[in-house]
Amino acid sequence: MNMSDVLQTRDGVDDLPLILIADDDKATRVLLRRVMEREGYKVVAAETGAEAVGLCQSVSADLILLDYIMPELDGVDACAQIRTLERYKTTPVLMITSLDDDASIQRAMVCGASDYITKPILLPVLRQRVRHLLASRRAERFMMHLAYHDSLTALPNREYFHQRLGQVLADPVMRVGQHAVMYIDLDQFKIVNDTCGHSAGDQLLRQLAHLLQTTLRKDDLVARLGGDEFGVLLHNCDMEQACQVAEKLRETVASFRFVWESRIFTVGASIGVVPIDGDSVPLATVLSAADAACYAAKDAGRNQVQVYRPENEELRQRQTEMGWVNRITRALDEGRFRLRYQPIVALSSREGLVEHFELLVSMIDEKGLSVAPDAFIPSAERYNLMPAIDRWVINAAFRFIGSLPDSARHLHTCCINLSGSSLTDEHLLQYIQGKLIEYEVEPRLVCFEITETATIANMNRALRLISELRARGCRFALDDFGTGLASFAYLKHLPVDFLKIDGTFVKNIVRDPVNHAIVKAINEIGHALGIKTIAEYVEDVETLEALRELGVDYGQGFGIARPKPLETFEVFGRWAKQAA
């Protein structure tokens, strides 16, 4: 699927599915067109395989009906050529054939056919196959939309922004014009969150997202990169124009008034601007420069626009890399990391022992104050410090598990997060195996949580790690499930024990029928594969009851129990007490 198509879902009533029919027999072609149009679809037709390939270069069909036997270029070779086109990588192709031998069918499937139907064509069967393939296509588009969009603001997310910017940087034709990248970090946003709560902060982000969209030009791209950070890609825009756009955005945000329960708040925007000229520049370099320019704007007094220049490199090194690298490294050296635990409870029981829990890491700063993981983990990931943090967590967690008394043998699972960068650490497996032996930890008590996106990005390493540790008795959970590009397609190939349904889908299931349907589908597919499901972000009783009705196995969230320091862990503590 073309990246630009991700932002253009075909949900409108008038935007009917387009069917491409290719058959050299005129009577068959007319019949198929008539049947498809009666079903309510739009149709384009080709007489040859070569003509079908040509049409695919100019139209975006939702499904292709392709005759197997055609002169010059047969349907199988035409299908293979169509699959080389970016927009047709996943478009369903229904092969129509009079050949029903295994070799012919195998050849069609190898060349990219999604399904086949034999002649003489049974029209009821044809209609059913077409409906099924189009339904799968719609589901795929929907999942792609979710994967590339921020659930809170509906803006494109970091993943889409990085891929789109990467396309511009990698394509010499696209780099011919001048472009610019902006990195926007809101000022004083934390005041709204701390004063009025996260609901107010979420509403502010939604309103500002809409404000940014309406202020920019139609062809410009704005994305939420995470937290209160936004990225903007300005197409065909020289630096003079880019600075004018940035200043307009800054003024728009500064003049905005956010009202919450009779209170009025103002926020500002620190904006870093980086030019993209005709030279090829690595994506990481552009993002790092934009980040540095934004930090320079904050350091200069906030609510300012700062243009990146090479001479700012020293400032960037001092303020970003060395700042966080030094703080995190010193915290590791000085033992200033702490573990908290949050219960994960069986939803089939109204009350019970804390048999499952997730360990969460936090950092203590130089003044003795706790630093939330959201504050330091993004920088740790950016500068490859997560493997060191993960090893600290593994060591501390195993030491804790190994010290538990015999009365804690009812414990079932202690969940430990592994970052994507740790999955690429070839020595991690040996480290974990060594710590299991050192602290005499029963592997059955350990469950490693790995995110869906990180696992897909490091599939071979992840599969080896999972296989080796599961053979010893450890278990694995796939975290934040539902946010990746090909969730269901990869799931059946991953030997995991638990599926953690992403909290963005869980927290609104009572009020949002789409979220409810997504959670239900993920739960049913997990159970069909023999995988237990865990719902994150269970924040209230209504959500808890809705999850019970859906048959989700476990729940986790503030509505059940808040994280508590690991040193306060009570072997016989009941989660119901903490939920009070």
Side-chain angles (χ1 to χ4, degrees), residues 503-517 519 537-550:
T504 56
F505 303 132
V506 173
K507 63 181 180 180
N508 289 320
I509 61 170
V510 176
R511 294 168 292 278
D512 189 333
V514 174
N515 279 12
H516 188 278
V519 172
Y537 288 22
V538 182
E539 298 182 345
D540 50 51
V541 175
E542 292 80 8
T543 301
L544 192 67
E545 291 303 322
L547 293 168
R548 281 198 176 105
E549 291 178 6
L550 289 176

Side-chain angles (χ1 to χ4, degrees), residues 7 32 88 98 109 117 149 161 226 257 283 296 396 404 458 536:
L7 299 183
L32 293 174
Y88 283 99
S98 57
M109 292 304 182
I117 186 170
H149 282 73
F161 185 78
R257 299 293 180 266
L283 174 65
L404 288 172
N458 306 281
E536 300 174 310

Side-chain angles (χ1 to χ4, degrees), residues 46 59 78 132 258 261 269 284 318 348 373 461 477 522:
V59 301
H132 172 74
F258 177 67
E261 295 179 348
R318 184 172 66 252
S348 59
R461 284 275 176 87
I522 293 175

Side-chain angles (χ1 to χ4, degrees), residues 20 77 128 158 162 165 218 276 284 346 373 416:
L20 169 59
D77 290 335
Q128 186 62 34
R158 178 187 292 269
H162 284 186
L165 177 56
K218 181 180 178 181
I276 300 176
I416 302 170

Side-chain angles (χ1 to χ4, degrees), residues 451-464:
T451 64
E452 175 194 353
T453 50
T455 303
I456 293 172
N458 306 281
M459 181 64 76
N460 291 334
R461 284 275 176 87
L463 284 175
R464 179 172 177 267

Side-chain angles (χ1 to χ4, degrees), residues 267-285:
V267 293
S270 295
I271 304 177
V273 185
V274 179
I276 300 176
D277 53 26
D279 296 328
S280 178
V281 181
L283 174 65
T285 300

